[in-house]
Amino acid sequence: MSPHLRKTLVVVGHGMVGHRFVQAAIERGLTETHDVVVVGEEPRPAYDRVALTSFFEVGADALSFMPAGEYDDPRVRLLLGTSVVEVDPAGRTVRLSDGTAVAYDELVLATGAAPFVPPVPGHDLPGCFVYRTIEDLEAIRDAAAGARTGAVVGGGLLGLEAANALHGLGLETHVVEMAPRLMPVQVDDAGGATLARHVEGLGLRLHTGVATKAVLERDGRAAGLDLGEAGGSVEADVVVFSAGIRPRDALARAAGLDLAERGGVLVDERCRTSDPHVWAVGECAAPAGRMYGLVAPGYAMAEVVVDALLGGPGEFTGADMSTKLKLMGVDVASFGDAFATTAGALELVLADAVAGLYKKLVVSEDGRRLLGGILVGDASAYGVLRPMVSSGIELPENPEELILPASRGGAEVSLPDDAQVCSCNDVSKADIVAAAACEGTTRAGATCGSCKPLVKKVVEEYYAAQGRTVDRSLCEHFAMTRQELFDVVAVHGCTGFDQVVAGHGTGRGCDVCKPTVASILASQLGHHVLDEGRAALQDTNDAYLANIQRNGTYSVVPRIPGGEITPEGLIVIGEVARDFGLYTKITGGQRIDLFGARMEELPAIWSRLVDAGFESGHAYGKSLRTVKSCVGSTWCRYGVQDSVRMAIDLELRYRGLRSPHKLKGGVSGCARECAEARAKDFGIIATEKGWNLYVGGNGGATPAHARLLAGDLDDGTLVRYLDRFLMYYVRTADRLQRTAPWIDSLDGGLERVREVVVDDALGLGSELEAAMARHVDGYQDEWRGTLEDPDKLARFVSFVNAPDVPDPHIAFRAERDQEVPAEPTGPVTLGATIPVGAPR
């Protein structure tokens, strides 16, 4: 098209919906006729705000939709750190914060929403925050570093996310919700009560049915919340407001555009405002007077506007407001008519207070159609149930089967082709099947991720129907699974990565297959992880036998089997921490973690510890970490078995065992379960007759309770079954797969594990036991092995050409009488080269 015939399209806002609009404009050819100018007021391009809380774990780059910082299409210009301060519909121009005027032919408002902060006294004190952007989270993190307590005003979706963040930052956390229950928009009273039990079990304190009257002040900063006569007061050094959102419609209001009665830019079914050349999408828009506060409706609006600008017939007629998320490890889902507002609607409820489950289905009066539901504690059925609402699938004769687990008679449902699988991106089962048929792509699962299990199931069912198998290759360099690669290495006797890739793969390897092969070699050969060039295969932590921390230093965790330690051992650890200026902390696994060691200091620290009888605790590896114990029958009046002895024996037996993921164990001396053994990959609980063995538990981001494998075992049988279980897992699990999902992935699940481990159905029992015996006999302490090898020791320098020079960018500050990381003064180095001529 001739340049003078091209039009200009301005997009105000570069959040998730603004970005989606631009993506659709590029993909559907709108940029063939329009130059697009995108104005984003945040300093970074669009990122995944749905997964905002994961910023604390993965950082900003992992959330970014545009790591390169610009669009591939040169006809799209992105202006970041810039805001639009005025819209002139008559002159069709916008004025930017730097004074620049930009003319437009079409204008799209995607300004989103702003957090609502109740106008209570003290709401603007230092120490008060909102929870909306990465910059907000950075400020909260910095404030939490010097705080002890925190409070979140709002117990809805985002409020609980914020509370989880404060809790994860180490603050004693309160949640204040004006409604009588948590998540009042999504769950009912019974579901809220179940959710509350889960949340309180994690250590958070809840205050429901009370309103914040004021933010308390001390020394010019926030110090707590006044909850009125009904709620008293709570202490809080950090206060986060998450009491809802309001549409950002100020630009439209000033421009004279029509607004909805409750706020938001009023738009028609094409998302066009009262000005024919101005459109609005996302949270700032109010189609038919209603604001939608979820990303899926915003994406739908973005597609509608692109379609309209291309002359298409698309209309926005409403959106699925279903939600599914994991809050602090607790599954919560709400879909359809969750509160049974439809005339004649009936409710089917499954409530299991012991297991922490609440499931409700809302069905039509004749019992034939699913109208909606609520799931708390287990939302695994959400992927099937939500599409049933929109597709009108007839319910089975006994609808309650849909919320029962398969082991208790749960029903399988086959979705029709027009069932919507991904509500965020409006992708149906037929769309996914079509993409699978032509090896194309859809956006299913790319936003909130809740539909990923169902997407996987649809694809695999399609391939199975076609007589094809799903490609489960480890990576582009190995056309086999981890289990298959494990067997190949064993059968062919491979001893190095080059040998493995030359004989059974292609290329030079990658960050996926190199650590996987290194783990397999370590499992089978028992060699030191830094032998024969294997250091280059390891992840950073394994490569330096220590956990790297945020400021480029490392932490050192000596093994303390079962948590039992002598006074002399404690003194040595204390002296090492004092002499090297290390931050000390008792871990959740009954060990002592020493933080702040510079790389070049690690060998000297290890030497002191090894001389005193300590060894590596493998806190850095995908291997056994700890076997936690209570004090057992030796001290406790309730103990029926010696749990400390058993924990020590097991930790020493399985120390250094390389596995697909980290392993943790626990031993409790009685049914009171003080060691929390059922939250571990293997847990042992004493009985009057011996030991009960539980497997497949874990804490972390996706907690799972271990399940009983065998009961009332004597010591020898317990160890034999554990040997088999762990080696079966090491041989057959996928990379980075913990024991809980591994068990669930097996045909037959736990029952299959029981057949192999207890019943020896495959005749592998003696082979698995022999493999474990080889590991036990071949164990060597990796710290000692490094200290005894000059070649390995040569790795531990900050600068390879100046081994005596410490990294000058590492900085500390004092906090509670210990040294903690200060912000680095430059890039953290890992065995780098100091520039020639640099000061030493």
Side-chain angles (χ1 to χ4, degrees):
M1 174 178 286
S2 174
H4 67 273
L5 296 178
R6 292 184 62 81
K7 296 182 178 181
T8 299
L9 170 64
V10 173
V11 181
V12 185
H14 196 235
M16 295 180 71
V17 174
H19 172 66
R20 177 56 174 272
F21 173 84
V22 177
Q23 275 189 314
I26 295 171
E27 292 168 2
R28 298 178 61 181
L30 188 59
T31 55
E32 297 298 324
T33 56
H34 289 71
D35 292 318
V36 181
V37 179
V38 188
V39 184
E41 66 181 0
E42 292 188 52
R44 63 187 83 243
Y47 52 87
D48 188 355
R49 210 183 300 273
V50 172
L52 186 61
T53 301
S54 63
F55 161 77
F56 292 113
E57 298 177 3
V58 302
D61 290 344
L63 296 179
S64 178
F65 290 144
M66 298 174 57
E70 59 184 17
Y71 289 99
D72 292 335
D73 192 327
R75 294 162 295 194
V76 179
R77 184 161 59 106
L78 178 59
L79 306 176
L80 296 176
T82 306
S83 58
V84 172
V85 297
E86 183 183 11
V87 173
D88 177 10
R92 290 199 206 172
T93 60
V94 296
R95 185 164 57 86
L96 307 184
S97 52
D98 62 2
T100 304
V102 180
Y104 67 82
D105 294 286
E106 304 291 338
L107 175 67
V108 177
L109 299 177
T111 49
F116 170 66
V117 178
V120 297
H123 70 274
D124 54 354
L125 283 169
C128 291
F129 304 91
V130 294
Y131 199 86
R132 187 68 176 172
T133 68
I134 286 178
E135 284 67 37
D136 293 333
L137 269 61
E138 289 175 334
I140 291 170
R141 180 188 61 194
D142 293 343
R148 186 179 61 84
T149 57
V152 176
V153 179
L157 288 171
L158 200 57
L160 292 181
E161 288 276 4
N164 184 33
L166 295 186
H167 182 63
L169 290 170
L171 303 187
E172 176 187 318
T173 304
H174 299 260
V175 179
V176 179
E177 169 55 50
M178 186 166 58
R181 63 179 182 272
L182 297 176
M183 291 181 63
V185 176
Q186 288 80 22
V187 303
D188 56 15
D189 287 341
T194 302
L195 177 59
R197 285 194 293 272
H198 279 289
V199 172
E200 288 178 325
L202 295 171
L204 280 76
R205 300 188 62 182
L206 304 181
H207 310 265
T208 55
V210 295
T212 301
K213 302 298 183 183
V215 178
L216 302 177
E217 178 183 352
R218 182 173 58 245
D219 299 329
R221 293 186 57 82
L225 298 177
D226 175 6
L227 304 182
E229 294 183 5
S233 64
V234 298
E235 182 182 345
D237 305 310
V238 175
V239 174
V240 177
F241 287 101
S242 184
I245 56 176
R246 298 292 185 270
R248 298 184 63 192
D249 55 17
L251 280 175
R253 185 185 305 272
L257 301 177
D258 291 349
L259 303 181
E261 183 178 347
R262 301 184 62 182
V265 187
L266 191 63
V267 297
D268 62 16
E269 68 279 0
R270 309 298 302 280
C271 295
R272 193 193 306 260
T273 72
S274 54
D275 183 291
H277 297 286
V278 181
W279 315 75
V281 295
E283 292 169 329
C284 70
R290 179 182 179 182
M291 174 201 174
Y292 293 84
L294 297 176
V295 69
Y299 280 1
M301 293 181 214
E303 296 283 355
V304 165
V305 174
V306 171
D307 191 66
L309 292 173
L310 289 169
E315 293 184 355
F316 181 82
T317 57
D320 183 0
M321 297 298 286
S322 303
T323 56
K324 175 182 178 290
L325 66 161
K326 186 176 288 292
L327 292 166
M328 291 169 272
V330 184
D331 280 337
V332 181
S334 173
F335 54 95
D337 183 12
F339 293 93
T341 59
T342 304
L346 305 174
E347 297 183 357
L348 300 174
V349 175
L350 169 66
D352 185 342
V354 175
L357 300 178
Y358 175 78
K359 301 182 181 183
K360 181 178 81 172
L361 296 184
V362 179
V363 302
S364 60
E365 189 173 13
D366 60 7
R368 300 179 64 180
R369 286 194 61 239
L370 180 64
L371 303 178
I374 295 171
L375 306 171
V376 179
D378 173 20
S380 57
Y382 172 82
V384 171
L385 293 175
R386 184 195 53 72
M388 289 182 68
V389 174
S390 57
S391 62
I393 301 174
E394 188 163 324
L395 289 167
E397 184 175 349
N398 299 305
E400 68 275 8
E401 294 176 354
L402 294 170
I403 51 177
L404 289 173
S407 61
R408 293 167 60 183
E412 284 283 336
V413 175
S414 179
L415 296 176
D417 288 345
D418 61 353
Q420 186 188 58
V421 173
C422 176
S423 60
C424 290
N425 298 288
D426 191 22
V427 182
S428 68
K429 177 182 176 181
D431 294 331
I432 296 170
V433 169
C438 66
E439 298 186 359
T441 61
T442 71
R443 289 196 179 96
T447 303
C448 77
S450 65
C451 63
K452 284 183 178 179
L454 185 57
V455 173
K456 180 175 181 288
K457 180 180 178 182
V458 169
V459 172
E460 291 182 348
E461 286 178 350
Y462 168 76
Y463 282 145
Q466 302 300 309
R468 300 169 62 184
T469 57
V470 178
D471 183 5
R472 295 187 173 88
S473 299
L474 180 66
C475 68
E476 61 185 289
H477 304 106
F478 288 96
M480 60 186 79
T481 65
R482 180 193 174 278
Q483 178 184 356
E484 292 166 340
L485 188 58
F486 189 100
D487 293 338
V488 164
V489 171
V491 169
H492 292 274
C494 301
T495 59
F497 179 81
D498 291 343
Q499 187 180 2
V500 177
V501 75
H504 312 285
T506 60
R508 299 180 179 179
C510 63
D511 291 341
V512 172
C513 60
K514 285 182 176 180
T516 302
V517 171
S519 173
I520 291 173
L521 292 172
S523 298
Q524 296 188 10
L525 303 177
H527 292 173
H528 197 289
V529 295
L530 303 184
D531 276 346
E532 301 173 14
R534 290 185 193 144
L537 305 180
Q538 306 291 349
D539 293 322
T540 299
N541 289 338
D542 274 297
Y544 292 95
L545 309 181
N547 283 336
I548 190 170
Q549 304 302 318
R550 58 175 294 195
N551 67 338
T553 61
Y554 291 80
S555 68
V556 176
V557 186
R559 188 173 299 284
I560 303 177
E564 183 180 84
I565 188 169
T566 64
E568 288 76 14
L570 281 172
I571 290 170
V572 169
I573 290 178
E575 289 177 340
V576 168
R578 179 198 62 202
D579 294 349
F580 288 90
L582 305 179
Y583 173 99
T584 57
K585 186 182 184 302
I586 306 296
T587 73
Q590 298 179 329
R591 304 198 290 193
I592 299 174
D593 207 339
L594 307 173
F595 291 88
R598 296 174 181 269
M599 184 196 302
E600 64 273 12
E601 294 176 330
L602 290 173
I605 294 170
W606 296 340
S607 179
R608 294 270 295 273
L609 294 171
V610 167
D611 288 347
F614 290 102
E615 63 182 28
S616 167
H618 286 91
Y620 48 82
K622 297 295 184 284
S623 58
L624 179 78
R625 299 294 178 85
T626 64
V627 180
K628 185 178 180 180
S629 79
C630 63
V631 296
S633 58
T634 304
W635 293 95
C636 180
R637 58 199 173 105
Y638 299 108
V640 294
Q641 300 288 349
D642 187 353
S643 57
V644 178
R645 175 193 58 81
M646 178 57 72
I648 292 173
D649 289 349
L650 294 178
E651 185 163 337
L652 293 178
R653 182 172 184 81
Y654 302 128
R655 59 187 169 176
L657 177 66
R658 294 284 166 166
S659 51
H661 207 293
K662 65 184 175 185
L663 288 166
K664 294 183 180 181
V667 185
S668 285
C670 73
R672 292 172 181 264
E673 248 284 71
C674 291
E676 302 170 326
R678 290 193 63 194
K680 305 294 188 287
D681 295 279
F682 61 88
I684 296 121
I685 300 177
T687 71
E688 294 286 352
K689 299 180 181 179
W691 307 97
N692 284 350
L693 173 58
Y694 296 82
V695 295
N698 60 256
T702 310
H705 256 82
R707 291 168 283 175
L708 182 66
L709 182 67
D712 295 329
L713 306 176
D714 59 51
D715 288 10
T717 304
L718 171 68
V719 171
R720 187 164 67 253
Y721 286 174
L722 256 181
D723 284 356
R724 294 178 180 180
F725 170 76
L726 292 174
M727 289 310 302
Y728 184 38
Y729 164 66
V730 167
R731 288 189 173 191
T732 63
D734 200 358
R735 60 177 293 272
L736 301 180
Q737 187 177 41
R738 292 205 71 164
T739 53
W742 166 68
I743 291 173
D744 291 340
S745 72
L746 297 173
D747 289 339
L750 180 65
E751 188 55 40
R752 182 56 175 170
V753 175
R754 186 176 288 112
E755 290 172 357
V756 174
V757 171
V758 177
D759 302 332
D760 198 13
L762 299 180
L764 293 174
S766 58
E767 181 181 335
L768 296 174
E769 292 169 32
M772 185 62 76
R774 288 193 296 272
H775 162 74
V776 174
D777 292 341
Y779 170 77
Q780 58 175 318
D781 174 32
E782 291 171 355
W783 286 355
R784 181 182 291 276
T786 302
L787 293 171
E788 294 173 350
D789 187 331
D791 291 336
K792 294 185 179 70
L793 280 176
R795 296 179 50 78
F796 295 91
V797 293
S798 289
F799 300 101
V800 295
N801 62 339
D804 297 327
V805 177
D807 189 335
H809 301 126
I810 293 174
F812 297 91
R813 60 184 175 83
E815 185 172 296
R816 295 185 295 277
D817 298 324
Q818 295 207 74
E819 294 290 307
V820 298
E823 290 302 322
T825 58
V828 173
T829 56
L830 293 175
T833 301
I834 195 167
V836 176
R840 298 190 179 183

